[in-house]
């Protein structure tokens, strides 16, 4: 059974599939990649329990069959191949991979040893792939890292009629991104932050290659009742030649909207990049064991930013466009949280202060979809 | 006391000095950088015990004095500075660093707390900086890594009349690089491999900036008698605006020349890059726990390269220009050692086989200075 396939396309496709598949052999079968051969080409699939991935690749295939082999070693061989064209020759228990003068024989594994994966046939929803990638990618930083923070280690996706929103928070900061698009699905789901990285990588890639839409489908937890109590087990995506099943987190976000302030006595407008660079620079002196504290003093159209640590102190003044009352407003932030919140922004921002101890809000004046909230540090 | 200095030059110079100075404060004074101000500009210096470094920088200086401060935090501040021009303002116990609207105040430390460093006034030898950098850089890979291998963790520099040679070996492979230049110094010295990296970085940089010579000087161990028994404690270098003292290793290399074979029944000639890529590709299947073994079969102008491991096997045939007898010659190498030996080569190489169990030798047909030796693996 022979397959001829262009080397570059093979290597690119495998790159996406192989990233998902774990290298460790401790979990039987999970380190395997499955290859399905048919006259339409090759289908690769694998899983790490959190994400199932399937990728189609056009190829010149003689015959049909299903095989499995260790994903990492297969991928290493493919990355090392010379030339433009690769030939696979499937024999009883071995796969010969040949390219140029080079040939490798890999031991095949019984395809039944690979995980059994089900991808939906129908996708009831869809969104613009680039937009969904931007929404998830722009808020992912605000998700919690620590194990005990449970549901906050995920990114919530609100699929509503007339709006789609991605939101993440770790209790000290929050970010959301609104899409005016309707996905065609209804439900609130929480995607593990680690899976968000794989999703955004694939959405970005597929968008670059083809543009267009990603098809979406929600389904019940495996073995559970569909939609019982509004909970879903899995988000499935179909884009370009790739399909993903992403396992969702159980539980729900508390009502975060009530903690976002909506009255701001002081607002300043300035360039996002200038603010991020200034905060980073001043924070060099900040004490990492004391929350990377930087102090803001806002008065008369100038923001004075200062930091102090065991080696000394630093300061910088920035002219800003200020609305709202003098006298001087003084508050402190974790510099890292502020810099993270500014990272998705390219142009002018508005930073709005609700008070010295209540949350501040960042909005992007060139992209109304994004909002970030940062809770000031307690001082004094 | 004020200093005005261009930001980019300050940042570049400090980059070289700061790399050497350790970050840990456990060793009192060693984390400090010393600043000397005079009408000629700034002098930075520091040490990690293995290397002392001094760097001069032209600057507009009002006044004179000597100060010290923690190198890492100073360097971080300088890296973060905005604008083109930096102003230092030295006050009683603080240094104010200002650039653009940004200002930092760093606590100064008594200069007496910084290590007391002596750099020679006279340099009796010299070499072309680029050539010395190439000689050391091309053989460094062959130095041993393991602690117990003592002297083999260094690169030997043979300073002879009419020749300069850098050589390194870990017992399984060896590399030397000959310069036809005479340094003007006489002696065999061994430089710790870790220090070689800093030396080559600085030689490359200084050569790129100015070209030309590096001045060299050997001196006795501190507190010892100069040249007693032909042993030196320190190699000093002066290049461009930088000075280095490099602490030398004690002991001497055994006579390595007698183990380099000089009779080769079989020789092959081929492109170095092609061989390195082929060996890397085939070695994907090699067993990392079994010395990354790749097998070579040489016969009739063809080298067949194969590897076998727990996942399968791979092979590739390369046409070569062959001198010397058939029948087939079969031997095995650690793929990593062979690839390391080929890395410095750009064009054609000659690979010479003295036998199936005795060392093979690589020479660069476009650079007669380089020779590498690799000992075949014991097989069967």
């Amino acid at each position: 059974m022979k397959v001829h396939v262009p080397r570059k396309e093979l290597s690119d496709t495998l790159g996406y599939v192989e990233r998902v598949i774990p290298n460790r052999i401790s979990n039987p079968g999970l380190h395997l990649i499955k290859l399905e051969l048919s006259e339409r080409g090759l289908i690769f699939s694998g899983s790490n329990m959190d994400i199932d991935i399937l990728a189609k690749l056009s190829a010149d295939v003689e015959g049909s069959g299903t095989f499995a082999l260790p994903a990492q070693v297969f991928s290493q061989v493919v990355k090392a191949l010379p030339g433009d064209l690769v030939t696979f020759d499937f024999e009883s228990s071995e796969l010969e991979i040949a390219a140029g003068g080079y040939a490798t024989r890999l031991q095949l594994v019984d395809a039944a040893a690979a995980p059994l994966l089900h991808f939906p046939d129908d996708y009831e929803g869809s969104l613009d792939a680039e937009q969904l990638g931007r929404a998830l990618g722009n808020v992912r930083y605000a998700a919690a890292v620590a194990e005990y923070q449970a549901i906050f280690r995920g990114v919530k996706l609100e699929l509503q009629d007339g709006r789609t929103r991605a939101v993440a928070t770790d209790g000290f900061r929050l970010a959301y991104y609104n899409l005016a698009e309707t996905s065609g699905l209804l439900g609130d789901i929480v995607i593990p932050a680690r899976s968000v990285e794989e999703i955004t990588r694939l959405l970005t890639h597929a968008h670059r290659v083809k543009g267009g839409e990603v098809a979406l489908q929600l389904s019940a937890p495996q073995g559970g009742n569909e939609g019982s109590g509004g909970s879903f087990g899995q988000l499935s995506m179909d884009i370009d030649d790739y399909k993903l099943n992403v396992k969702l987190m159980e539980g729900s976000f508390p009502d975060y909207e009530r903690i976002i302030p909506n009255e701001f006595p002081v607002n300043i407008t300035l360039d996002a990049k200038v603010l991020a660079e200034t905060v980073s620079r001043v924070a060099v002196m900040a004490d990492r064991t004391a929350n990377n504290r930087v102090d803001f003093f806002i008065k008369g159209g100038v923001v004075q930013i200062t930091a102090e640590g065991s080696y000394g102190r630093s300061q910088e003044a920035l002219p800003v466009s200020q609305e709202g009352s003098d006298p001087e407003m003084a508050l402190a932030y974790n510099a890292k949280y502020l810099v993270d919140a500014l990272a998705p922004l390219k142009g002018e921002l508005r930073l709005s202060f609700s008070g010295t101890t209540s949350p501040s809000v960042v909005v992007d004046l060139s992209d109304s979809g994004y909002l970030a909230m940062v809770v000031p540090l307690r001082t004094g």
Side-chain angles (χ1 to χ4, degrees), chain A:
Chain A
M1 215 167 307
K2 282 206 177 188
V3 178
H4 302 282
V5 60
R7 189 189 57 79
K8 169 118 186 30
E9 283 80 346
L10 173 65
S11 179
D12 288 353
T13 300
L14 211 51
Y16 283 97
V17 179
E18 167 257 327
R19 276 187 59 83
V20 168
I21 302 178
N23 197 7
R24 274 175 247 119
I25 312 191
S26 59
N27 204 327
L30 222 55
H31 70 295
L32 296 175
I33 187 168
K34 191 154 81 177
L35 276 73
E36 293 171 69
L37 283 62
S38 75
E39 58 192 16
R40 281 164 304 178
L42 288 170
I43 296 175
F44 301 101
S45 60
S47 176
N48 65 11
M49 302 291 277
D50 290 326
I51 301 181
D52 307 333
I53 186 167
L54 176 150
K56 287 177 263 181
L57 181 63
S58 298
D60 172 16
V61 179
E62 300 165 12
S64 66
T66 304
F67 308 92
L69 69 174
Q72 299 299 325
V73 70
F74 180 49
S75 170
Q76 276 173 38
V77 168
V78 167
K79 276 181 201 154
L81 292 176
D84 295 328
L85 194 70
V86 179
T87 303
F88 291 157
D89 194 353
F90 290 86
E91 290 166 21
S92 55
S93 66
E94 285 187 329
L95 164 62
E96 186 183 80
I97 305 174
Y102 173 83
T104 277
R105 301 183 79 81
L106 287 173
Q107 293 289 333
L108 289 167
V109 177
D110 183 359
L116 198 61
L117 307 176
H118 294 289
F119 296 88
D121 296 317
D122 297 320
Y123 291 78
E124 296 166 86
S126 74
L127 281 170
D128 180 85
E130 187 186 18
Q131 289 283 316
L132 178 59
R134 178 178 303 149
L136 293 171
N138 279 359
V139 306
R140 189 232 168 286
Y141 74 85
V145 174
E147 189 86 36
Y148 73 90
Q149 289 182 287
I151 194 74
F152 294 117
R153 298 170 74 213
V155 173
K156 185 185 183 196
L157 196 60
E158 299 173 0
L159 302 163
Q160 299 175 1
D161 193 11
R163 196 190 77 187
T164 303
R165 172 184 283 180
V167 54
T169 180
D170 65 2
F172 303 105
R173 55 326 203 356
L174 175 149
Y176 71 63
Y177 195 96
N178 289 335
L179 301 178
E181 278 191 275
T182 300
S183 65
L185 300 177
L186 287 176
D188 288 342
I189 58 176
V190 183
I191 305 170
R194 231 183 332 173
S195 300
V196 166
E197 283 169 37
E198 293 302 328
I199 294 172
T200 52
R201 182 173 289 111
L202 200 58
L203 289 175
T204 308
H205 159 79
H207 171 76
R208 222 176 22 236
V209 176
K210 304 233 173 145
E213 301 278 302
V214 52
L216 302 170
Q217 180 68 352
L218 290 171
S219 51
Q222 292 196 351
N225 294 319
E226 183 159 353
S228 63
S231 98
F232 299 100
Q234 168 175 294
L235 170 67
S236 298
M237 312 177 100
D238 182 348
I239 179 164
D240 188 22
D241 291 324
Y242 298 89
K243 292 184 186 206
L244 291 182
N245 294 326
V246 181
K247 195 174 170 187
L248 299 174
M249 296 176 78
E250 285 179 40
S252 58
F253 267 40
D255 176 16
Y256 62 87
E257 288 197 76
R258 66 179 174 77
I259 62 162
I260 304 175
N262 45 32
E263 288 191 24
F264 304 103
V266 180
N267 295 273
I268 60 173
T269 306
L270 72 165
D271 184 77
K273 192 153 174 282
V274 168
L275 179 58
E277 286 176 358
T278 304
V279 170
S280 300
R281 199 145 58 212
V282 171
V284 167
M285 284 294 110
D287 201 336
R288 265 163 214 90
T289 59
N291 292 318
N292 268 303
R293 173 177 167 171
V294 289
D295 284 86
F296 274 53
F297 304 92
I298 305 111
K299 186 180 161 68
V302 174
V303 179
Q304 182 84 16
I305 305 173
T306 69
E308 188 159 7
S310 43
Y311 293 111
R313 58 201 174 76
S314 54
Q315 63 181 61
E316 187 162 348
L318 284 179
V320 297
S321 165
Q322 181 175 349
E323 297 162 33
S325 63
D326 281 7
E328 183 176 81
M329 177 149 206
L331 69 178
Y333 298 105
N334 182 323
K336 183 184 176 325
Y337 287 1
L338 207 54
V339 170
D340 283 349
L342 302 177
L345 280 69
K346 293 208 174 64
E348 294 271 297
L349 66 84
R350 187 171 65 237
L351 176 54
S352 302
F353 307 96
S354 68
T356 54
T357 56
S358 55
S360 305
V361 166
V362 174
V363 296
D364 185 344
L365 295 180
S366 56
D367 181 352
S368 62
Y370 180 72
L371 177 141
M373 189 188 87
V374 180
V375 180
L377 294 174
R378 283 168 191 276
T379 61

